[in-house]
Structure formats: C-alpha cells, structure tokens
Amino acid sequence: MQPIREEIGVIIKSAQEIAVMRKAGQILAVVIEALSKAVRPGITTGELDTVAARELKKRGAVASFKGYRGFPASICTSVNEEVVHGIPGARVLKSGDIISLDVGALVNGFHADAAVTLGIGSISEDAQKLIAATKGALEAGIAAARNGARLGDVSAAIQEYAESRNFAVVREYVGHGIGRNLHEDPQVPNFGIAGEGILLRKGMTLALEPMLNAGLWRTRLSDNKWTVFTADGKLSAHFEHTIAITDSTPEILTML
Ligand code: MG
C-alpha cells in the first residue's frame, strides 16, 4: 500500500486555531480597506506601505512580509505589468494605473494573507475587465473549495473562469496553505484538472490567489530579484483571500 504521500505536510487546524486566523484576517480586511481609501493619483507606493505598517501595528498585528526571505517592506505593491512582489518606494501612482496590494498579518502566531487590485482614477475598459475577471476567478475558486472536493477542483474552477474570459493564468506563482507559517502545504495552482489532487477537508486553511494576465501567462523577474513582471509587458491583476474549509461553504477569513 502506498501512503497518501501528497497529504504529508497539510495541517488541519482546530476551531481555536481558526479563530486566531479569523482575528488576523479581520485586521487584514480593515487594513486593506484603509489602503483602498488611501489609493489615489499622486500617492507613492512607499506611502501606502507606511499606511499599512501603521494600521497593522495599531491593531496589534505584525506585517507578515516584512523581512520574509529579506523582503524589505510591509506590503507588496505591484503596478500595471507587475504581477506580484513589487517593492513599495518612490513610484507615484497616476490616473489609469492599476495596483495590486498584497498584505499579510501575523496575530498570536498565525498568519492571514489577502490581496486586491484597484484602479487609480479612471482606468481603461480592458483594465476594468481584467480586474473583474480576477476577482471573479477567486470567487469561483472559493466556491469550489468544499470539504470532500479535490484541490484540482479549485484550480480548475479558477482556470476555467479566467480562460473563458480570454485572460491567461500565471503558472510560476501559486496559492498556498497558511497558518503558523505564511506558506504551508499544499501549493494551490490557479490551473489544474478537476478531480485530481489532494482531498480538501474541514480545518484546512488556504490562501487562494489567482494572478491573471491580459496577454500571455509567462513572467520575468526584475533585477531586484523580487518584482515579477508579465513577460510581454501587458497588464496583470491579483486577488487573494485566506479561507477555511468547513462543513458547508468555505469561510473567508479575510473578509469583513
Ligand atoms: Mg499568498
């Protein structure tokens, strides 16, 4: 008999542990709301990082990303053709840009992770469609994340939603389990085959995070070794929630 090898490393959380993650997630949702209000033409990505650091600290949370593998800021700010892991700094946002804000919060030993993509001022219809499709792809993935379903059901739901709207799904970066560690097993690709992969069970906590490109799915890494760009220079969007698998519909821990 073969062991169920693919489930090694997947940590089932207790109700108490999920309650702590819920607290982290609720703080995160409030912080993202504050960031959404701060986003406007003329603000720098560095100023957004300052807002996030202040709002997390005020609520007793630690920024999960700061110092993670040497990441230098509290949040990731990825503008236009930047896919993920953009480093906040002197860049000034202007009307027509889109920005992905990715934030992690550590509270009482547990992490929550979430991201949104927002338009600055007035954005193109194509950018609006990309953002709506990425948000919709996340919602489709969450809807498929049921106790007894397979991980591939989630991946396939996201991919199908994105590709049926003519957007490409990034392959090199994926969602993940989350808990005491920011990144735990299993990896959650945004592409896959329904019915395949590990069984989802109550108490699993996952960060689902589709990254959709307006052009091709390929990416390239910046010289700074962090910022990921679309290879073709076209727009990219990113949404993320931390969820808990339950007996019925998944609980979105990072939503108010
Ligand atoms: Mg994540």
Side-chain angles (χ1 to χ4, degrees):
M1 294 290 283
Q2 287 207 322
I4 309 170
R5 184 167 51 86
E6 66 265 43
E7 286 212 36
I8 285 176
V10 177
I11 300 161
I12 302 295
K13 275 76 174 182
S14 68
Q16 290 82 354
E17 289 172 320
I18 289 173
V20 179
M21 291 183 68
R22 184 180 300 120
K23 192 176 168 198
Q26 297 301 290
I27 290 171
L28 196 45
V30 170
V31 172
I32 287 179
E33 202 170 75
L35 284 169
S36 304
K37 283 181 186 148
V39 162
R40 61 176 187 278
I43 197 165
T44 67
T45 53
E47 286 167 333
L48 292 173
D49 186 60
T50 302
V51 169
R54 186 186 65 220
E55 296 297 320
L56 285 166
K57 192 174 176 196
K58 203 159 81 183
R59 293 172 176 82
V62 171
S64 302
F65 302 166
K66 184 121 193 194
Y68 182 83
R69 295 185 181 170
F71 189 76
S74 294
I75 63 172
C76 301
T77 53
S78 306
V79 181
N80 296 337
E81 76 282 8
E82 295 172 359
V83 180
V84 285
H85 306 161
I87 300 173
R91 182 167 186 165
V92 178
L93 298 178
K94 59 181 196 312
S95 184
D97 286 340
I98 65 171
I99 184 170
S100 153
L101 302 165
D102 193 350
V103 191
L106 172 65
V107 176
N108 296 340
F110 285 86
H111 295 272
D113 191 0
V116 293
T117 300
L118 303 168
I120 316 298
S122 153
I123 62 170
S124 70
E125 200 176 312
D126 285 350
Q128 289 174 39
K129 282 183 187 163
L130 173 65
I131 290 173
T134 310
K135 192 163 190 266
L138 174 57
E139 287 162 359
I142 292 171
R146 308 285 295 238
N147 184 48
R150 295 274 170 182
L151 190 64
D153 297 337
V154 175
S155 301
I158 291 170
Q159 182 177 21
E160 204 275 325
Y161 190 97
E163 292 181 351
S164 67
R165 284 157 183 80
N166 289 318
F167 294 108
V169 169
V170 169
R171 301 291 201 272
E172 298 102 324
Y173 302 88
V174 297
H176 49 92
I178 182 169
R180 287 194 184 275
N181 296 299
L182 180 60
H183 296 130
E184 295 181 352
D185 284 341
Q187 290 198 322
V188 186
N190 298 302
F191 56 95
I193 297 167
E196 291 194 348
I198 64 160
L199 204 56
L200 299 180
R201 286 184 290 145
K202 183 182 172 184
M204 286 184 181
T205 46
L206 305 171
L208 306 188
E209 49 177 322
M211 291 146 264
L212 268 56
N213 293 350
L216 304 175
W217 62 261
R218 284 188 192 281
T219 64
R220 67 180 176 85
L221 191 62
S222 156
D223 291 339
N224 72 19
K225 300 289 179 214
W226 277 108
T227 313
V228 176
F229 296 90
T230 56
D232 60 12
K234 293 188 178 172
L235 291 180
S236 187
H238 176 211
F239 278 84
E240 176 175 24
H241 272 307
T242 296
I243 65 166
I245 309 292
T246 72
D247 284 329
S248 58
T249 51
E251 180 181 355
I252 304 175
L253 300 173
T254 45
M255 186 180 263
L256 291 174

